[in-house]
């Protein structure tokens, strides 16, 4: 069964370092998303991406964040200069249309 | 802004019992509502999606209902099993892109 895959599963980084989280969405999907979940809190929307551009972003998605679809399969989230409060589980999701979202297993980011 | 609430926060039941998980949302103008399962430290597994025009969806022992006008959805699990132990999240889709999640109900099914 097709699935969303994310790498790395866990990344530890120093504050101020750049981090890139990678996602391979389901192959025929057209809508791509990043969400995050701080430990013990709700899953929060970060950004959605369609037709090679950001279609919506939340207040969390400030200038430190960027997304890219560098080729036909990968979808990346970059955090330019990590802060302690960026520590969270980051989930990638994809959808064929406006319906069901399928999520990956997540990338746990720990900022020291 | 859409607010999604799930009650109870935690639930413990003996194996074999039927149970209901509740989800409420403040903005009834939703596109759809999706229920997920999350195991500790793992990703989100989609269980059921109910479109705004639908009243319920069923998959195996799971049945989800939606009452848009009252801002409520329920997830019914029949004949619960220890393997059902997980956190169950509901998420309401408002606008074209954004899912608003509840904080989840942590279910423990006792053998």
């Amino acid at each position: 069964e097709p699935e969303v895959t994310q790498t790395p599963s866990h990344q530890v980084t120093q504050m101020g370092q750049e981090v890139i989280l990678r996602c391979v969405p389901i192959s025929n999907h057209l809508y791509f998303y990043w969400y995050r979940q701080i430990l013990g809190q709700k899953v929060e929307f970060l950004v959605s991406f369609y037709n090679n551009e950001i279609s919506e972003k939340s207040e969390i998605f400030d200038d430190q964040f960027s997304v890219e679809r560098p080729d036909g399969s990968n979808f990346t989230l970059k955090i330019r200069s990590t802060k302690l409060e960026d520590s969270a589980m980051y989930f990638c999701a994809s959808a064929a249309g406006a319906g069901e979202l399928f999520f990956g297993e997540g990338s746990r980011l720990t900022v020291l | 802004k859409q607010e999604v609430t799930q009650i109870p926060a935690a639930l413990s039941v003996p194996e074999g019992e039927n149970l209901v998980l509740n989800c409420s949302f403040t903005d009834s103008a939703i596109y759809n509502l999706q229920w997920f399962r999350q195991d500790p430290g793992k990703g989100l597994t989609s269980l059921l999606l109910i479109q705004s025009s639908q009243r319920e969806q069923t998959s195996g022992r799971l049945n989800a209902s939606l009452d848009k006008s009252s801002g409520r959805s329920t997830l019914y699990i029949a004949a619960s099993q220890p393997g059902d132990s997980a956190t169950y999240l509901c998420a309401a889709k408002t606008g074209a892109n954004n899912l608003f999640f509840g904080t989840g109900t942590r279910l423990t099914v006792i053998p």
Side-chain angles (χ1 to χ4, degrees), chain A residues 33-112:
Chain A
Y33 309 84
W34 283 101
Y35 285 77
R36 80 171 186 189
Q37 185 178 33
I38 295 171
L39 187 64
Q41 297 186 22
K42 290 186 179 184
V43 177
E44 302 173 288
F45 170 73
L46 292 179
V47 66
S48 58
F49 192 87
Y50 171 73
N51 202 26
N52 286 318
E53 61 183 20
I54 290 173
S55 46
E56 190 174 346
K57 60 183 181 180
S58 71
E59 297 168 349
I60 303 167
F61 194 88
D62 61 21
D63 291 344
Q64 293 287 83
F65 291 88
S66 63
V67 289
E68 197 175 38
R69 188 156 161 81
D71 53 44
S73 59
N74 290 287
F75 180 51
T76 62
L77 174 69
K78 181 192 290 186
I79 308 174
R80 201 158 291 123
S81 177
T82 50
K83 303 185 285 259
L84 295 176
E85 54 264 38
D86 294 328
S87 294
M89 183 76 96
Y90 288 81
F91 292 108
C92 173
S94 69
E100 191 172 9
L101 267 68
F102 294 87
F103 282 75
E105 288 287 298
S107 292
R108 181 173 300 283
L109 176 64
T110 302
V111 182
L112 302 176

Side-chain angles (χ1 to χ4, degrees), chain B residues 29-51:
Chain B
I30 63 171
Y31 280 69
N32 58 50
L33 188 133
Q34 201 166 348
W35 281 92
F36 295 88
R37 169 187 173 135
Q38 185 176 30
D39 292 284
K42 298 291 188 180
L44 307 175
T45 301
S46 180
L47 298 173
L48 287 164
L49 172 78
I50 312 177
Q51 299 291 354

Side-chain angles (χ1 to χ4, degrees), chain A residues 14-44:
Chain A
Q14 294 290 325
M15 190 169 56
Q17 294 296 304
E18 177 183 283
V19 162
I20 297 177
L21 305 179
R22 292 182 167 79
C23 170
V24 178
I26 294 173
S27 63
N28 63 340
H29 284 185
L30 300 175
Y31 298 81
F32 314 112
Y33 309 84
W34 283 101
Y35 285 77
R36 80 171 186 189
Q37 185 178 33
I38 295 171
L39 187 64
Q41 297 186 22
K42 290 186 179 184
V43 177
E44 302 173 288

Side-chain angles (χ1 to χ4, degrees), chain B:
Chain B
K1 184 186 169 184
Q2 179 75 273
E3 292 289 336
V4 180
T5 305
Q6 291 186 247
I7 295 172
L11 181 63
S12 190
V13 300
E15 181 177 0
E17 196 161 293
N18 302 327
L19 59 102
V20 174
L21 307 180
N22 297 292
C23 172
S24 61
F25 45 94
T26 55
D27 184 355
S28 61
I30 63 171
Y31 280 69
N32 58 50
L33 188 133
Q34 201 166 348
W35 281 92
F36 295 88
R37 169 187 173 135
Q38 185 176 30
D39 292 284
K42 298 291 188 180
L44 307 175
T45 301
S46 180
L47 298 173
L48 287 164
L49 172 78
I50 312 177
Q51 299 291 354
S52 61
S53 57
Q54 296 174 321
R55 297 283 295 188
E56 64 179 295
Q57 280 286 334
T58 298
S59 175
R61 294 182 294 109
L62 306 180
N63 176 276
S65 68
L66 175 65
D67 183 344
K68 265 185 55 176
S69 60
S70 67
R72 292 181 185 175
S73 177
T74 61
L75 180 67
Y76 174 83
I77 303 177
S80 58
Q81 303 170 357
D84 295 332
S85 297
T87 296
Y88 290 81
L89 302 172
C90 70
K93 193 172 195 183
T94 53
N97 296 292
N98 196 353
L99 275 180
F100 287 89
F101 281 81
T103 46
T105 294
R106 190 172 68 253
L107 173 66
T108 303
V109 181
I110 303 164

